[in-house]
Amino acid sequence: MNSVAIRVIPVALAAWALGGWICDAHEVRIGATISQTGHFATEVGPFGDFLKAWAQELNSQGGMPLDRVRVPVRLFLYDDRSEEAVARRMYERMATVDKVHLMLGPYSSPLTFAASTASEIHGIPFLAICANSPKIYQRGYKWIACLVDEAPRYTHRYWEMIKEESLAKSVSFLVEDTLHPKGVFEGARMLAQEAGLQILSVHTAPRDTRDFGAVILKLRAEDPDILFVSANIPFATLFMLQAREQGLKPREFHVTHHGGPFRKALGRAAEGVTGQSYWTPTMGGPGKERFLRLLDLSRISLEDYPWLPAYMMAIQVVEDVLSRSLSLEPSEIMKALKSSQTQTIGGRVWFQENGVGSINTYPSQIQEGSYQILWPKAVATAPHRYPAADQPRK
């Protein structure tokens, strides 16, 4: 029978462990942080519950498949408070105190940039999940691999759709001045040009901006077909509330992070907004039923947290990698990780030499309060509504 231990550590963070009574030689130790509080909590706050449900399920079946045996899992989870310094400290603890065999990265590029230094210093495999800024992978680190493709390609399917439709002719950009939104914007600007759109303007604003009035006035004068908002949920939500209130009406708002908290905050004003999603149940894929079961066990709504499929893909990669690793030696795990070709709910995951992965997002639109995948046609769950119903046509 597995035991559950709660460890109270400095700065009021908690580590959650499964199977703590088993000696170290006969367990797999995996560490991660979740932004349960702070700036990113709106995007990933309850994801620790999902990882706990996964570990509990594995241990109820005898543990993690490792070569030809099953080994109990011990999972260490910490709240990084959405702060880079805290994340760095927690991953250092995982390496030196918890002695983990594998690290799952925190949410966001800034936190991953900071946390992955512990992995590199101590030589521990680090699987980044939602962290795609090119700056992370330009440092020559050997112990990191990332589930997702680099930020500049984050919206490539959206621009393929726009080019194919040949309806939108112009775009303006609003960019949150942080790593991931800036990386996404750099790629989106080039992709928009390749799609034949005229770029009217680029507006960059600090993460903590509270008044968007001046920017909205300029955007109303420009009247772009597409207003592309590259931002995390708190920034995007506040901007959109003010934009709707002040009558800004492009033919389409494309908000890269338009997940559940954004939709709930805007209510009907979120209708028609497009953005990016990793997966919806209608897309199927290997592990679909298991993922939905883990969602039920952890009591998390996919509509509220559309980034969670990336975490499912990550645990699918972890299971595949450890099942092929000859031992829990860091070099063996890393070798298996870099050479993996894992089929997941979101597609095949493989890694480039610098660790960058293959998974990318799909354009989605809020229609009648639900998220619909728009492109490519092979996986689309609804047609693209352009212009949005409440926006004027030119």
Side-chain angles (χ1 to χ4, degrees):
M1 179 178 177
N2 294 327
S3 63
V4 177
I6 299 293
R7 298 182 175 189
V8 180
I9 64 173
V11 296
L13 301 179
W16 184 88
L18 274 171
W21 52 272
I22 303 169
C23 67
D24 287 351
H26 302 290
E27 65 181 9
V28 179
R29 296 188 296 277
I30 298 173
T33 68
I34 302 293
S35 296
Q36 296 173 323
T37 56
H39 186 72
F40 297 121
T42 56
E43 309 214 33
V44 297
F47 284 15
D49 292 335
F50 178 79
L51 293 178
K52 293 176 189 179
W54 166 61
Q56 286 174 329
E57 180 187 70
L58 280 177
N59 281 347
S60 71
Q61 299 168 354
M64 176 79 70
L66 179 62
D67 195 10
R68 289 177 294 276
V69 300
R70 283 186 174 269
V71 181
V73 176
R74 190 173 186 184
L75 181 64
F76 296 88
L77 289 180
Y78 299 93
D79 180 5
D80 56 41
R81 303 194 303 197
S82 306
E83 297 176 12
E84 295 167 42
V86 176
R88 185 184 300 112
R89 189 160 66 249
M90 293 302 98
Y91 281 86
E92 183 69 23
R93 176 187 171 88
M94 292 176 205
T96 59
V97 178
D98 303 327
K99 305 290 185 182
V100 299
H101 299 108
L102 177 69
M103 296 173 172
L104 297 177
Y107 181 77
S108 85
S109 290
L111 298 189
T112 298
F113 190 93
S116 54
T117 57
S119 160
E120 192 69 15
I121 290 170
H122 298 284
I124 299 172
F126 185 106
L127 179 59
I129 304 175
C130 292
N132 58 6
S133 170
K135 291 185 178 181
I136 298 171
Y137 310 100
Q138 293 169 350
R139 298 175 293 174
Y141 280 15
K142 304 300 182 184
W143 292 93
I144 188 171
C146 179
L147 182 79
V148 298
D149 199 355
E150 284 188 318
R153 283 179 45 80
Y154 188 74
T155 59
H156 78 93
R157 292 187 176 109
Y158 174 70
W159 297 110
E160 288 174 1
M161 178 184 71
I162 294 300
K163 182 177 182 179
E164 178 72 16
E165 293 174 343
S166 297
L167 296 174
K169 306 300 180 184
S170 63
V171 59
S172 294
F173 290 92
L174 175 63
V175 185
E176 178 185 329
D177 193 10
T178 55
L179 274 180
H180 169 70
K182 288 195 297 183
V184 170
F185 157 68
E186 290 298 337
R189 175 168 56 181
M190 293 185 290
L191 292 165
Q193 290 174 326
E194 292 172 5
L197 275 73
Q198 177 187 5
I199 296 177
L200 301 180
S201 66
V202 176
H203 306 272
T204 302
R207 187 180 82 169
D208 59 355
T209 300
R210 293 292 176 266
D211 183 357
F212 292 95
V215 172
I216 291 171
L217 281 175
K218 293 177 182 178
L219 290 169
R220 286 180 63 183
E222 293 166 8
D223 191 26
D225 286 333
I226 297 172
L227 175 54
F228 188 101
V229 182
S230 186
N232 291 301
I233 283 180
F235 181 105
T237 300
L238 186 58
F239 168 75
M240 281 295 299
L241 286 170
Q242 294 179 27
R244 292 295 203 192
E245 184 178 274
Q246 296 177 41
L248 181 59
K249 293 186 176 182
R251 263 45 69 201
E252 178 158 284
F253 284 101
H254 187 84
V255 180
T256 54
H257 287 215
H258 68 334
F262 171 89
R263 175 176 52 84
K264 288 182 176 179
L266 266 71
R268 280 289 304 169
E271 188 66 19
V273 173
T274 58
Q276 304 298 131
S277 298
Y278 281 113
W279 183 85
T280 64
T282 54
M283 295 172 66
K288 169 189 170 180
E289 296 304 324
R290 183 187 182 200
F291 179 43
L292 296 178
R293 183 172 67 253
L294 289 174
L295 285 176
D296 286 340
L297 290 172
S298 53
R299 298 181 180 179
I300 300 176
S301 165
L302 183 59
E303 289 274 306
D304 290 344
Y305 295 96
W307 306 131
L308 194 55
Y311 283 69
M312 180 63 190
M313 294 179 231
I315 66 176
Q316 288 178 296
V317 170
V318 169
E319 291 178 4
D320 176 53
V321 166
L322 292 180
S323 71
R324 293 184 296 103
S325 181
L326 298 178
S327 75
L328 290 176
E329 286 295 318
S331 59
E332 289 294 334
I333 296 175
M334 201 66 205
K335 180 180 177 181
L337 180 59
K338 282 293 189 74
S339 63
S340 63
Q341 300 269 339
T342 308
Q343 293 295 334
T344 73
I345 60 169
R348 183 170 62 93
V349 177
W350 55 275
F351 303 100
Q352 299 178 39
E353 182 62 29
N354 65 352
V356 172
S358 57
I359 294 298
N360 221 312
T361 57
Y362 297 88
S364 60
Q365 188 171 38
I366 300 173
Q367 298 181 2
E368 283 78 46
S370 295
Y371 295 88
Q372 302 293 340
I373 300 296
L374 306 176
W375 189 267
K377 292 179 180 179
V379 299
T381 60
H384 181 204
R385 295 178 182 174
Y386 179 91
D390 63 339
Q391 306 294 10
R393 295 179 183 268
K394 281 187 173 179

CSV table of all heavy atoms in Angstrom, one decimal, residues 229-250:
chain,number,residue,atom,x,y,z
A,229,VAL,N,-3.1,39.6,-30.6
A,229,VAL,CA,-2.7,39.8,-29.2
A,229,VAL,C,-1.8,38.7,-28.7
A,229,VAL,O,-2.3,37.6,-28.4
A,229,VAL,CB,-3.9,40.1,-28.2
A,229,VAL,CG1,-3.4,40.4,-26.8
A,229,VAL,CG2,-4.8,41.2,-28.8
A,230,SER,N,-0.5,38.9,-28.6
A,230,SER,CA,0.4,37.9,-28.1
A,230,SER,C,0.7,38.1,-26.7
A,230,SER,O,1.5,39.0,-26.3
A,230,SER,CB,1.7,37.9,-28.9
A,230,SER,OG,2.5,36.8,-28.6
A,231,ALA,N,0.0,37.4,-25.8
A,231,ALA,CA,0.0,37.7,-24.4
A,231,ALA,C,-0.5,36.5,-23.5
A,231,ALA,O,-1.2,35.7,-24.0
A,231,ALA,CB,-0.8,38.9,-24.1
A,232,ASN,N,-0.1,36.5,-22.3
A,232,ASN,CA,-0.6,35.6,-21.3
A,232,ASN,C,-2.0,36.1,-20.9
A,232,ASN,O,-2.4,37.2,-21.1
A,232,ASN,CB,0.3,35.4,-20.1
A,232,ASN,CG,1.6,34.7,-20.5
A,232,ASN,OD1,1.6,33.6,-21.0
A,232,ASN,ND2,2.7,35.4,-20.3
A,233,ILE,N,-2.7,35.2,-20.2
A,233,ILE,CA,-4.1,35.5,-19.9
A,233,ILE,C,-4.4,36.8,-19.1
A,233,ILE,O,-5.3,37.5,-19.4
A,233,ILE,CB,-4.8,34.2,-19.2
A,233,ILE,CG1,-5.0,33.2,-20.2
A,233,ILE,CG2,-6.1,34.6,-18.5
A,233,ILE,CD1,-5.7,31.9,-19.7
A,234,PRO,N,-3.7,37.1,-18.0
A,234,PRO,CA,-4.0,38.3,-17.3
A,234,PRO,C,-3.9,39.6,-18.1
A,234,PRO,O,-4.8,40.4,-18.1
A,234,PRO,CB,-3.0,38.3,-16.1
A,234,PRO,CG,-2.6,36.9,-15.9
A,234,PRO,CD,-2.6,36.3,-17.3
A,235,PHE,N,-2.9,39.7,-18.9
A,235,PHE,CA,-2.7,40.8,-19.8
A,235,PHE,C,-3.8,40.9,-20.9
A,235,PHE,O,-4.4,41.9,-21.1
A,235,PHE,CB,-1.3,40.7,-20.4
A,235,PHE,CG,-0.9,41.8,-21.4
A,235,PHE,CD1,0.0,42.8,-21.0
A,235,PHE,CD2,-1.4,41.9,-22.7
A,235,PHE,CE1,0.4,43.8,-21.9
A,235,PHE,CE2,-1.0,42.9,-23.6
A,235,PHE,CZ,-0.1,43.8,-23.2
A,236,ALA,N,-4.0,39.7,-21.5
A,236,ALA,CA,-5.0,39.6,-22.6
A,236,ALA,C,-6.4,39.9,-22.1
A,236,ALA,O,-7.1,40.6,-22.8
A,236,ALA,CB,-4.9,38.3,-23.3
A,237,THR,N,-6.7,39.4,-20.9
A,237,THR,CA,-8.1,39.6,-20.4
A,237,THR,C,-8.3,41.1,-20.1
A,237,THR,O,-9.4,41.7,-20.5
A,237,THR,CB,-8.2,38.8,-19.1
A,237,THR,OG1,-8.1,37.4,-19.4
A,237,THR,CG2,-9.6,39.1,-18.5
A,238,LEU,N,-7.4,41.8,-19.5
A,238,LEU,CA,-7.6,43.2,-19.2
A,238,LEU,C,-7.7,44.0,-20.4
A,238,LEU,O,-8.5,44.9,-20.6
A,238,LEU,CB,-6.4,43.7,-18.3
A,238,LEU,CG,-6.6,45.1,-17.7
A,238,LEU,CD1,-7.8,45.2,-16.9
A,238,LEU,CD2,-5.4,45.4,-16.9
A,239,PHE,N,-6.8,43.7,-21.4
A,239,PHE,CA,-6.9,44.5,-22.7
A,239,PHE,C,-8.2,44.3,-23.4
A,239,PHE,O,-8.8,45.2,-23.8
A,239,PHE,CB,-5.7,44.0,-23.6
A,239,PHE,CG,-5.9,44.6,-25.0
A,239,PHE,CD1,-5.7,45.9,-25.3
A,239,PHE,CD2,-6.4,43.7,-26.0
A,239,PHE,CE1,-5.9,46.4,-26.6
A,239,PHE,CE2,-6.7,44.2,-27.3
A,239,PHE,CZ,-6.4,45.6,-27.6
A,240,MET,N,-8.7,43.0,-23.5
A,240,MET,CA,-9.9,42.8,-24.2
A,240,MET,C,-11.1,43.4,-23.5
A,240,MET,O,-12.0,43.9,-24.2
A,240,MET,CB,-10.1,41.3,-24.3
A,240,MET,CG,-9.2,40.6,-25.4
A,240,MET,SD,-9.7,41.2,-27.1
A,240,MET,CE,-11.4,40.7,-27.2
A,241,LEU,N,-11.1,43.4,-22.2
A,241,LEU,CA,-12.3,44.1,-21.5
A,241,LEU,C,-12.3,45.5,-21.9
A,241,LEU,O,-13.4,46.1,-22.1
A,241,LEU,CB,-12.1,43.9,-20.0
A,241,LEU,CG,-12.4,42.5,-19.4
A,241,LEU,CD1,-12.0,42.4,-18.0
A,241,LEU,CD2,-13.9,42.1,-19.6
A,242,GLN,N,-11.2,46.2,-21.9
A,242,GLN,CA,-11.1,47.6,-22.2
A,242,GLN,C,-11.4,47.8,-23.7
A,242,GLN,O,-12.1,48.8,-24.1
A,242,GLN,CB,-9.8,48.2,-21.9
A,242,GLN,CG,-9.5,48.2,-20.4
A,242,GLN,CD,-8.2,48.8,-20.0
A,242,GLN,OE1,-7.6,49.6,-20.7
A,242,GLN,NE2,-7.6,48.3,-18.8
A,243,ALA,N,-10.9,46.9,-24.6
A,243,ALA,CA,-11.1,47.0,-26.0
A,243,ALA,C,-12.6,46.9,-26.4
A,243,ALA,O,-13.1,47.7,-27.2
A,243,ALA,CB,-10.3,46.0,-26.8
A,244,ARG,N,-13.3,46.0,-25.8
A,244,ARG,CA,-14.7,45.8,-26.0
A,244,ARG,C,-15.5,47.0,-25.5
A,244,ARG,O,-16.4,47.5,-26.2
A,244,ARG,CB,-15.2,44.5,-25.4
A,244,ARG,CG,-14.7,43.2,-25.9
A,244,ARG,CD,-15.2,43.0,-27.3
A,244,ARG,NE,-15.2,41.6,-27.7
A,244,ARG,CZ,-15.3,41.1,-28.9
A,244,ARG,NH1,-15.4,41.9,-29.9
A,244,ARG,NH2,-15.3,39.8,-29.2
A,245,GLU,N,-15.1,47.5,-24.3
A,245,GLU,CA,-15.8,48.6,-23.7
A,245,GLU,C,-15.6,49.9,-24.6
A,245,GLU,O,-16.6,50.7,-24.7
A,245,GLU,CB,-15.3,48.8,-22.3
A,245,GLU,CG,-16.0,49.9,-21.5
A,245,GLU,CD,-15.4,50.1,-20.1
A,245,GLU,OE1,-15.9,49.4,-19.2
A,245,GLU,OE2,-14.5,50.9,-20.0
A,246,GLN,N,-14.5,50.0,-25.2
A,246,GLN,CA,-14.2,51.3,-25.9
A,246,GLN,C,-14.4,51.1,-27.4
A,246,GLN,O,-14.1,52.0,-28.2
A,246,GLN,CB,-12.7,51.7,-25.7
A,246,GLN,CG,-12.4,52.0,-24.2
A,246,GLN,CD,-11.0,52.4,-24.0
A,246,GLN,OE1,-10.3,53.0,-24.8
A,246,GLN,NE2,-10.5,51.9,-22.8
A,247,GLY,N,-15.1,50.0,-27.8
A,247,GLY,CA,-15.6,49.9,-29.2
A,247,GLY,C,-14.6,49.6,-30.2
A,247,GLY,O,-14.8,49.9,-31.4
A,248,LEU,N,-13.5,48.9,-29.9
A,248,LEU,CA,-12.5,48.4,-30.8
A,248,LEU,C,-13.1,47.2,-31.6
A,248,LEU,O,-13.5,46.2,-31.0
A,248,LEU,CB,-11.2,48.1,-30.1
A,248,LEU,CG,-10.1,47.6,-31.0
A,248,LEU,CD1,-9.7,48.7,-32.1
A,248,LEU,CD2,-8.9,47.3,-30.2
A,249,LYS,N,-13.2,47.3,-32.9
A,249,LYS,CA,-13.8,46.3,-33.7
A,249,LYS,C,-13.1,45.9,-34.9
A,249,LYS,O,-13.5,46.2,-36.1
A,249,LYS,CB,-15.3,46.7,-34.1
A,249,LYS,CG,-16.2,46.8,-32.9
A,249,LYS,CD,-17.6,47.1,-33.3
A,249,LYS,CE,-18.6,47.2,-32.1
A,249,LYS,NZ,-20.0,47.4,-32.6
A,250,PRO,N,-12.0,45.2,-34.8
A,250,PRO,CA,-11.3,44.5,-35.9
A,250,PRO,C,-12.2,43.4,-36.4
A,250,PRO,O,-13.2,43.0,-35.7
A,250,PRO,CB,-10.0,44.0,-35.4
A,250,PRO,CG,-10.3,43.7,-34.0
A,250,PRO,CD,-11.3,44.8,-33.5
